[in-house]
Amino acid sequence: MATPPKPPPRRGKRQNWAVNFALLPMAVTVLLCYLGTVLWSIVVSLTSSKTFPNTNFVGLAQYEKLFTTDRWWLSLHNMALFGVIFVIACLALGFFLAVFIDQKVRGEGILRTIFLYPYAMSFVATGLVWQWMLNPGLGLQEAVRQLGFPNFEFDWIISQDKVMYAIALAAVWQSAGLVMALLLAGLRGVDEEIWKAARIDGIPVWRVYMSIVLPMIAPSIATATVLLSLGVIKVFDVVVAMTGGGPGIASEVPAKFIMDYLFNRANIGLASAASVVLLLTVLALLLPWLYAKNRMEKNNNKGH
Amino acid sequence: MHWWTSGGESAAVQELAAAFNKSGGQWVDTAVAGGEAARAAAINRIVGGNPPTAAMFNTSQQYLDIIKEGMLNDIDAVAAKEKWDTMLPAPVISSIKVNGHYYAAPVNIHMPSWFWYSKPAFAKAGITSEPKTPDELFAALDKLKAAGLVPLALGGQGWQEYITFYSWVAQVGGTDLYMKFFKDHDAAVINTPAFRKVLTDFKRLKSYTDAGSPGRNWNDATSMLITGKAGVQIMGDWAKGEFNNAKQVAGKDYGCFPGFGPKSPYIIAGDVFVFPRTKDANAIKAQQMLATSMTSAATQVAFNNKKGSIPIRTDVDASQMDLCAQAGLTIMKDKTRQIAVPDMLLAPDVGGAVQDIISKYWNTAQSVDDVVKALQGAIKG
């Protein structure tokens, strides 16, 4: 961040005081609502709390139990699998959609709305719709079979190994539009002169995109990636709406694990331990990004 | 405050309301869809200081922590007047009586692991008599399969697989094994040949389900029996509501048996109402009146006929009940056959962990050794 110019000494002090006073509610909110609840979760995760929080400290026992629970490992594994598919597919699809719209196609406004529309829908509605579409007895499989392909199979949603792909499919359908919007803004920021220069040099269009445009819109891509990654960690409603964590426990995700133990299984100690682990995951994702961003800004400042 | 929202359930709850209003109370209905949501809402309101006058839970350990925190009123006065100590089945008493005080009023007894079968399906497969042993059941399932039917209708959701599992522990493993596992949390018993046989036989059932099973709702599974597409379903007596809705009659269109043989264990589950702590004399009066009216003989028959469950007391007029309920009520008179549902014996998080393990075992190619190890880890809590 650039350092603001020093204010003139006399009037400034009062202004600072006023500014600080105005910011006070926000500071209190941050301290109490964010840091406070985080600390509370950490404290509870070190206790033997069941239905109600208590102060019977048991050290890291809840974490030990958490990491000996099959379902927790499975949900972490699912989250990783879902995350890789979801982020890569969303970025790829979003980028192609953005490039497509950037060709100054007719009806751009309408297309943009259509592509972004799924994002306006809640994950619960998305999940339910996809649940019907993927249900082997009702949806796509049955429809194709009735078209005269009796051996057509598309039963991902009831398959142990493929159910996460089915969920990722629905999630990608929903979120690719957001990536498109972000990257389109990035593409629009690319100077027209660069395109002209590239055309004069006879560089193929795909090459321009790969070697020149992509690096230029890197900040937009980074933003999209972070947003998508946070979506991965929070993933909950699409799973609940589509499979309820099934078949069996094949599509469990950490957020659902936490909600189950928090409300249904009356073990907020374990649930808190799980949410602390998730928080650490978020930090592990965010910190490198913040660090890189910081470095880049410093470098940019040096260049000027 | 309750979660009885389906057709048959709300008809049943009207019976409770009518009885309460007749005895001078005023029923205010707060229905929350879904048991988990309703329990979470009740607990939140109790903790938040704005408790409902009465809240529904399952007959289980779900409300044990609230009792420990001193947030419930006891209803010892009602229990003493109505002689609950002698009238109620032992598993129910042990679930609602904590430290010598009664903290919940039971309203029904559900038996979660009845075997239901479709008579037309059995006829089509050439099965002439009710299976009386596990082997006969497997033979019947084979015949159903050969006849091109779905032998076992199962909703592949965690809790339904869990019901199938603990029915199997009780009916095939026997009461002793069941109690050692669920009540004594005996890790050693899990590695015995008897328990391993339960696990392999349980898994064998999977080959009798259809591909559409995962994620199916229990009532969709029941309707497979109603339409004669499937032969057998293992499900609680709430399934009768579905049969009734389809105008099917027990003994004529469908059959029911609670287990194998005349001494088979009868698993007891059910619903209770708890009464959150209040000092308001009127509210306490209302709570006690509610507990009295809900458990009276007449209300019990009217309510449970609609709910599909059986009354908590055996001194009721059984003639208005259907065949399966009458069978259940007769069994209830034999105290040695009563065993408690795992929810009463295991804390919610331990039960949940066991359910997860079973669900994983059912749905994957996991080995019995792995399951034994996982269960040993989970049961210790």
Side-chain angles (χ1 to χ4, degrees):
Chain A
M1 226 191 280
T3 25
K6 282 226 165 81
R10 280 189 103 199
R11 272 190 62 218
K13 254 206 173 145
R14 213 173 44 212
Q15 230 174 21
N16 263 350
W17 184 82
V19 167
N20 285 340
F21 186 75
L23 285 176
L24 195 65
M26 196 191 80
V28 170
T29 315
V30 167
L31 280 177
L32 280 182
C33 297
Y34 292 93
L35 287 177
T37 44
V38 167
L39 280 178
W40 191 82
S41 294
I42 295 174
V43 169
V44 171
S45 78
L46 299 173
T47 67
S48 65
S49 306
K50 292 284 184 187
T51 307
F52 300 104
N54 64 26
T55 49
N56 174 24
F57 287 95
V58 291
L60 293 175
Q62 299 283 16
Y63 292 88
E64 262 172 49
K65 197 176 157 203
L66 183 67
F67 281 102
T68 52
T69 306
D70 270 0
R71 184 172 152 190
W72 176 246
W73 279 110
L74 183 69
S75 49
L76 286 181
H77 176 254
N78 280 343
M79 183 174 76
L81 178 68
F82 172 82
V84 171
I85 304 172
F86 175 69
V87 172
I88 292 179
C90 273
L91 284 176
L93 198 61
F95 179 66
F96 283 124
L97 288 177
V99 169
F100 168 62
I101 284 192
D102 201 33
Q103 306 304 311
K104 313 222 163 44
V105 287
R106 256 198 283 168
E108 184 198 314
I110 296 173
L111 283 174
R112 220 170 24 193
T113 314
I114 292 176
F115 292 147
L116 197 55
Y117 187 73
Y119 195 70
M121 278 166 64
S122 86
F123 252 139
V124 174
T126 309
L128 274 178
V129 171
W130 278 92
Q131 188 201 10
W132 292 325
M133 300 219 316
L134 296 177
N135 184 316
L138 304 169
L140 278 174
Q141 177 177 318
E142 191 59 25
V144 176
R145 283 185 181 188
Q146 281 178 354
L147 286 176
F149 303 95
N151 292 322
F152 178 77
E153 259 193 39
F154 189 59
D155 57 354
W156 287 6
I157 201 165
I158 57 160
S159 150
Q160 285 282 314
D161 316 319
K162 304 198 193 87
V163 63
M164 283 319 290
Y165 299 98
I167 290 172
L169 184 66
V172 168
W173 176 81
Q174 198 208 29
S175 296
L178 173 75
V179 178
M180 177 213 69
L182 284 170
L183 295 193
L184 187 60
L187 287 179
R188 289 283 148 87
V190 173
D191 200 336
E192 192 62 24
E193 294 300 315
I194 290 173
W195 279 108
K196 279 184 189 156
R199 235 169 277 144
I200 290 166
D201 289 348
I203 305 170
V205 173
W206 67 269
R207 196 59 214 272
V208 182
Y209 272 115
M210 290 309 285
S211 303
I212 302 172
V213 176
L214 264 184
M216 286 186 73
I217 60 169
S220 304
I221 295 176
T223 308
T225 310
V226 168
L227 283 179
L228 292 174
S229 308
L230 293 180
V232 169
I233 288 162
K234 289 190 302 190
V235 62
F236 171 76
D237 25 17
V238 69
V239 172
V240 170
M242 273 181 80
T243 64
I249 53 172
S251 56
E252 280 303 335
V253 286
K256 182 162 175 294
F257 181 97
I258 294 172
M259 293 303 273
D260 277 359
Y261 274 85
L262 211 49
F263 295 113
N264 191 21
R265 294 183 174 173
N267 192 337
I268 62 174
L270 191 69
S272 302
S275 50
V276 171
V277 172
L278 268 201
L279 177 72
L280 293 177
T281 321
V282 175
L283 289 180
L285 271 175
L286 278 182
L287 287 180
W289 179 68
L290 289 174
Y291 178 74
K293 208 177 144 205
N294 211 359
R295 279 286 295 271
M296 260 162 66
E297 265 164 15
K298 264 190 193 150
N299 284 345
N300 285 349
N301 285 347
K302 251 186 234 158
H304 280 291
Chain B
M1 194 158 195
H2 58 87
W3 61 83
W4 287 321
T5 46
S6 85
E9 288 173 343
S10 42
V13 86
Q14 288 313 314
E15 293 291 342
L16 291 187
F20 180 59
N21 288 342
K22 216 166 93 189
S23 68
Q26 195 197 353
W27 181 275
V28 182
D29 203 81
T30 313
V32 178
E36 294 161 21
R39 289 193 293 270
I43 289 179
N44 279 341
R45 277 184 60 178
I46 292 170
V47 174
N50 175 27
T53 311
M56 177 177 142
F57 281 86
N58 290 125
T59 319
S60 69
Q61 297 197 5
Q62 284 160 356
Y63 44 88
L64 218 57
D65 282 344
I66 322 176
I67 297 177
K68 272 191 212 145
E69 294 289 314
M71 290 181 175
L72 293 185
N73 280 340
D74 67 58
I75 41 168
D76 290 344
V78 179
K81 210 170 99 203
E82 303 277 325
K83 302 196 178 58
W84 283 7
D85 272 328
T86 52
M87 189 186 74
L88 296 178
V92 173
I93 293 179
S94 66
S95 174
I96 60 173
K97 192 176 185 179
V98 180
N99 299 331
H101 296 286
Y102 281 98
Y103 283 102
V107 286
N108 57 4
I109 289 171
H110 270 305
M111 150 72 171
S113 74
W114 281 87
F115 293 75
W116 309 94
Y117 62 92
S118 153
K119 292 235 164 179
F122 267 36
K124 196 177 165 199
I127 305 162
T128 44
S129 65
E130 238 168 52
K132 285 178 201 68
T133 63
D135 289 336
E136 282 181 37
L137 179 70
F138 279 125
L141 292 173
D142 281 329
K143 280 188 187 165
L144 286 163
K145 202 175 194 175
L149 298 164
V150 178
L152 183 69
L154 177 86
Q157 295 169 341
W159 65 273
Q160 299 187 56
E161 291 155 359
Y162 191 40
I163 283 186
T164 313
F165 170 70
Y166 66 68
S167 313
W168 217 245
V169 177
Q171 305 300 348
V172 180
T175 304
D176 267 357
L177 194 73
Y178 182 95
M179 285 315 225
K180 272 196 186 128
F181 178 69
F182 286 114
K183 183 160 184 280
D184 307 334
H185 307 179
D186 181 351
V189 81
I190 301 169
N191 206 9
T192 57
F195 201 93
R196 282 169 162 271
K197 185 166 173 8
V198 168
L199 284 172
T200 42
D201 276 4
F202 164 68
K203 187 64 188 274
R204 192 175 155 199
L205 291 172
K206 172 117 200 255
S207 60
Y208 298 104
T209 60
D210 61 317
S213 163
R216 178 187 287 146
N217 286 321
W218 68 269
N219 44 349
D220 296 333
T222 309
S223 74
M224 290 169 71
L225 263 68
I226 293 172
T227 53
K229 282 190 197 124
V232 184
Q233 184 187 16
I234 304 172
M235 185 42 62
D237 37 21
W238 47 87
K240 271 189 300 192
E242 297 295 310
F243 287 116
N244 288 343
N245 274 345
K247 305 265 178 294
Q248 297 213 328
V249 179
K252 191 169 132 264
D253 304 303
Y254 67 97
C256 56
F257 55 99
F260 303 111
K263 278 282 161 198
S264 66
Y266 194 80
I267 300 176
I268 289 182
D271 302 304
V272 301
F273 277 87
V274 299
F275 304 95
R277 166 136 293 177
T278 164
K279 289 204 175 75
D280 179 359
N282 276 329
I284 293 176
K285 211 178 115 203
Q287 289 178 337
Q288 303 207 341
M289 202 153 68
L290 186 59
T292 312
S293 82
M294 279 198 272
T295 51
S296 75
T299 318
Q300 278 293 306
V301 173
F303 168 74
N304 283 303
N305 276 347
K306 293 206 170 135
K307 184 77 174 66
S309 43
I310 62 170
I312 50 161
R313 46 203 295 168
T314 46
D315 59 339
V316 293
D317 177 12
S319 62
Q320 300 165 28
M321 305 189 329
D322 65 72
L323 202 75
C324 308
Q326 286 183 5
L329 200 63
T330 312
I331 297 173
M332 285 303 297
K333 287 175 182 158
D334 182 353
K335 286 197 178 344
T336 61
R337 293 179 71 173
Q338 301 168 357
I339 57 174
V341 73
D343 293 357
M344 295 190 202
L345 307 171
L346 297 176
D349 60 329
V350 180
V354 173
Q355 181 183 313
D356 288 344
I357 291 166
I358 292 308
S359 189
K360 188 177 171 196
Y361 173 53
W362 179 263
N363 284 288
T364 64
Q366 207 185 8
S367 76
V368 174
D369 284 325
D370 282 353
V371 187
V372 167
K373 235 169 80 191
L375 284 176
Q376 286 177 329
I379 201 77
K380 281 178 276 179

